[in-house]
Amino acid sequence: MTSLDHQVLGPAFAQTPYDHPFRVELRAWLAEHPVDPEPLDQDARFRHRRDWHRTMAGNGWVGLHWPVEHGGRGVDPLTQFMYYEEVALAATPEPVNTPGLILLGPTLMAHGSAELKARFLPGILSGDEMWCQGFSEPDSGSDLASLRTRAELVGDEWIVNGQKIWTTFAQYADYCFVLCRTEAGSERHRGLTLLICPVDQDGVTVRPIRQISGDNEFSEVFLDDARVPKDWVVGEVGQGWSAAMTLFQFERGDQGYTDHARMLVHLLDCEDALRVAEADGTLTVDRAADARRVQRDLWVRIQELRHLNYRGAVLAKAGQELGAVGSMTNLVWGELEKDLGSAFAEASGARSLVLGRHDTHARLASRAASIYSGTSEIQRNIIAERLLGLPK
Amino acid sequence: MITEPLTTADELEIRDVVVDFTRTTFTSERVRAAALTPRGYDEVAWKQMVDLGWTGLGIAEDVGGAGLGAIVQCLVHRELGARLAPTPFLGSAGFGAAALDVLVDDDEAAHGLLAAVVDGTVQCALALGHGRGWPGHESPSITAQPVDDGWTVTGSAALVLDAARADVVLVVAALEEGGWRLFQVAASALTPTPVPLLTVDVTRTYADLLFDHTPATPIGASSVTSDRVSLLVDRIAVYLAAEMVGVAIACTNQTLDYLRTRHQFGKPLGSFQALKHRCADVAVAVTVAQELVFSAATLIEADDVTSLALAAPLALARAGEVMLHATQEAIQLHGGVGFTDEVDIGLYYKRALGDLELIASPVDAYARMDLVRTGKTS
């Protein structure tokens, strides 16, 4: 008998069966804690996500991969894989504070002082303090090492000047981890330092960037004599590149985990929308047939992403390098997310032109997916040159 | 490809041995020469494979196999596919052995036949009496009739893999009262004698089989349901999909080698971004298809029939699509030589065309997957 799990998620994997005790425990908790669907308005959506984060954190369901000494459960990547599938199946709000949870937190654990760990890790986990990432600059995107934001130690404070861009959810953040140049005249990877900069101060101006979807998920962050306490340095002064590389490893290690299950649940909505649109005549028979074919292809492609994520979890559990899987996942995920957004809109035909609808919004918002975490074209270059050994 | 789904030290060690043998044995010259022999395959290499125990790798130990399971079985199919090895391995040690294993519970005849497949004394082929794909609502193409002193089977099967030179044809035939039963038919009992079909794929032999009240011996004491036959198709679909992945990997690697070495406009072809991106897309598709296939093999080992019912048609369909795409891209990316018979790329493309027809086309496999997913299989 095919169960609902199989219908929605697909075939089980040997190491993450649908009756795994971890799934059973989490399902029971989720069943007792129903949550409203996400609102469309971005500010309301963020608050909704943050509130849910706090509810989960209060019950020990956030940061499961963090070590027990820092408030996590120290679970392995396969358990995390199940975690993400289960929270998606329950249609919970998307995670917030991922720059803190996935990137800065683990990097602090690896490079941070005891004082910084004690000061910042609890707030990341609880969701009481929100984080954003200050790496990219207007002239330093893919070529991060060319960054020009600089910091100078004056007394017991760093004075930071420069501009960051594409900073996700900076307008909601309490802290920004800023990669900046602390040695005057240094070049490339040398002389960089990773600082923790409070956002709520006169020297920091956040200017959200309006997207074609109407959202303002990304911001420009202007640093004009922004002040950072002297000791709020992640790792050593001048060793910021090393800290950043550690951080990127965590980013690559996590890429995409959350999304296949969320996509599969989303695809169910698309399938429902298509049935309605076909029944009420919104779509012609031909258009509905085409939409059905597209939706089936999407199910297959999400299964592929799911298998890549599973492979990534198996490799991570074995302590292996995930770089290769990361580039593939990125490419597969970005292209898929766009096509899923379009399919969601297509299932309702002309209605998806009307503002205020999730499908209208999803189609526009998804266009960013193959750009913001490294364009598909860059990913293909990386795959061809680094993984397939084609000449530069 | 980019990832290797084999993980344990044992699997990797077996892989290295298999790769070493297939690389040195199934050279382009030998593969092409074998196609011209009367039997249509490399008899010397086939005997060596039997002697090395490959025919028993995935078969249980109590019938003379090594009991290493479906992942190792798939790895052999993959590597043989990668070399376009002209042997009856897929038809006999793959499809035939799977039928004996899946359709028959505890039966001495089945055990004896399995042991003979393992030790190479019998080469068998599998004829499915429901037609192609998974059993559905169509009328069966082969039926069984009880007669005074036993059974006969009647019907036909088109393009049966490795059947032209088989000693025994295993026939899954429909019973009058419903259900299915596995029979063995001696090749000598077939009239007319099957003749090898000339197809585009010279590395394979196929034959059309006709049964007209042909004497047949039942294997196993009882009939089986359509679900059990579906399970058999799931199993052999995964084996075939593993071969497909091998075909795709090998022709992609040959293409990458060519792009690294061939120069035009003063630089290697592989440095042109338009070609790089096509290679990246093929490599990712092949890598992911391989993950689907070996995941399905894991489900065979775990005996998770519910998940396998979904995973097997998914793996077959996607591996088939990707293999076809990879072989077509290989021709294009080779440029002029790609469509000549001087390089082996064309052989891979033609193997792909054959493999796509063996069990179910991607379209039909996806249709099966949809039925399973929506619970409409019965």
Side-chain angles (χ1 to χ4, degrees), chain A residues 69-142:
Chain A
E69 59 173 308
H70 296 306
R73 294 194 186 191
V75 304
D76 66 34
L78 284 162
T79 306
Q80 249 182 303
F81 180 91
M82 291 189 280
Y83 171 80
Y84 285 130
E85 288 200 335
E86 292 303 322
V87 296
L89 277 182
T92 61
E94 288 192 29
V96 285
N97 219 13
T98 47
L101 266 178
I102 290 164
L103 303 180
L104 198 270
T107 305
L108 259 189
M109 292 172 209
H111 291 288
S113 66
E115 290 74 20
L116 288 185
K117 282 189 246 188
R119 166 65 187 82
F120 288 113
L121 292 179
I124 293 174
L125 206 55
S126 66
D128 289 340
E129 291 176 338
M130 292 285 146
W131 288 75
C132 64
Q133 175 179 8
F135 277 24
S136 292
E137 296 182 6
D139 292 324
S140 306
S142 302

Side-chain angles (χ1 to χ4, degrees), chain A residues 6-254:
Chain A
H6 293 89
Q7 274 183 35
V8 178
L9 290 178
F13 292 109
Q15 298 187 67
T16 57
Y18 293 135
D19 58 357
H20 193 286
F22 176 84
R23 288 188 192 267
V24 173
E25 184 195 354
L26 179 50
R27 265 179 211 201
W29 185 85
L30 288 166
E32 289 165 9
H33 296 80
V35 56
D36 290 338
E38 294 204 327
L40 206 49
D41 172 75
Q42 184 185 294
D43 292 340
R45 196 164 67 223
F46 190 88
R47 279 195 302 277
H48 184 63
R49 290 177 182 179
R50 190 195 56 202
D51 292 347
W52 175 248
H53 176 110
R54 290 174 179 169
T55 302
M56 288 200 91
N59 288 270
W61 288 113
V62 170
L64 273 68
H65 61 298
W66 281 25
V68 176
E69 59 173 308
H70 296 306
R73 294 194 186 191
V75 304
D76 66 34
L78 284 162
T79 306
Q80 249 182 303
F81 180 91
M82 291 189 280
Y83 171 80
Y84 285 130
E85 288 200 335
E86 292 303 322
V87 296
L89 277 182
T92 61
E94 288 192 29
V96 285
N97 219 13
T98 47
L101 266 178
I102 290 164
L103 303 180
L104 198 270
T107 305
L108 259 189
M109 292 172 209
H111 291 288
S113 66
E115 290 74 20
L116 288 185
K117 282 189 246 188
R119 166 65 187 82
F120 288 113
L121 292 179
I124 293 174
L125 206 55
S126 66
D128 289 340
E129 291 176 338
M130 292 285 146
W131 288 75
C132 64
Q133 175 179 8
F135 277 24
S136 292
E137 296 182 6
D139 292 324
S140 306
S142 302
D143 182 15
L144 182 63
S146 67
L147 66 85
R148 288 189 299 201
T149 294
R150 62 193 189 282
E152 192 184 349
L153 193 58
V154 178
D156 54 1
E157 279 184 327
W158 293 97
I159 307 297
V160 191
N161 281 284
Q163 188 194 342
K164 296 292 177 180
I165 195 169
W166 307 121
T167 311
T168 307
F169 293 141
Q171 67 269 53
Y172 309 120
D174 301 295
Y175 296 97
C176 182
F177 45 94
V178 175
L179 191 60
C180 53
R181 208 163 279 293
T182 47
E183 277 174 34
S186 66
E187 287 187 0
R188 307 298 299 167
H189 314 88
R190 284 176 292 277
L192 299 174
T193 300
L194 187 59
L195 295 179
I196 295 175
C197 179
V199 175
D200 186 15
Q201 60 168 306
D202 289 345
V204 177
T205 308
V206 173
R207 190 158 79 198
I209 301 168
R210 188 170 167 83
Q211 296 156 241
I212 58 173
S213 59
D215 289 336
N216 314 282
E217 293 173 301
F218 311 101
S219 289
E220 293 177 284
V221 177
F222 298 93
L223 302 158
D224 301 302
D225 289 337
R227 290 159 190 280
V228 170
K230 180 184 174 191
D231 296 332
W232 288 15
V233 173
V234 183
E236 303 293 319
V237 172
Q239 300 297 315
W241 190 255
S242 158
M245 287 302 104
T246 302
L247 190 137
F248 282 137
Q249 272 179 21
F250 292 122
E251 181 170 38
R252 276 194 284 269
D254 191 79

Side-chain angles (χ1 to χ4, degrees), chain B residues 140-162:
Chain B
S141 48
I142 307 172
T143 56
Q145 305 79 38
V147 290
D148 294 342
D149 50 350
W151 291 81
T152 63
V153 290
T154 297
S156 64
L159 287 153
V160 179
L161 176 67
D162 295 327

Side-chain angles (χ1 to χ4, degrees), chain A residues 259-260 263-264 267 293-309 328-329 331-343 370 376 380, chain B residues 284-285 288 292 314 318 321 366 369:
Chain A
D259 271 48
H260 67 261
M263 285 173 164
L264 286 164
L267 187 59
R293 184 191 55 74
V294 168
Q295 290 183 355
R296 211 268 308 283
D297 286 352
L298 284 169
W299 195 80
V300 171
R301 286 169 61 193
I302 304 171
Q303 288 304 318
E304 297 192 317
L305 176 64
R306 181 170 169 256
H307 280 70
L308 276 182
N309 286 339
M328 273 192 298
T329 310
L331 177 60
V332 169
W333 175 83
E335 294 299 316
L336 189 48
E337 176 76 0
K338 284 189 296 190
D339 292 346
L340 191 58
S342 294
S370 58
S376 290
R380 288 189 180 100
Chain B
V284 169
V288 181
L292 297 177
L314 170 62
R318 193 61 196 136
E321 285 179 335
Y366 281 136
M369 183 190 81

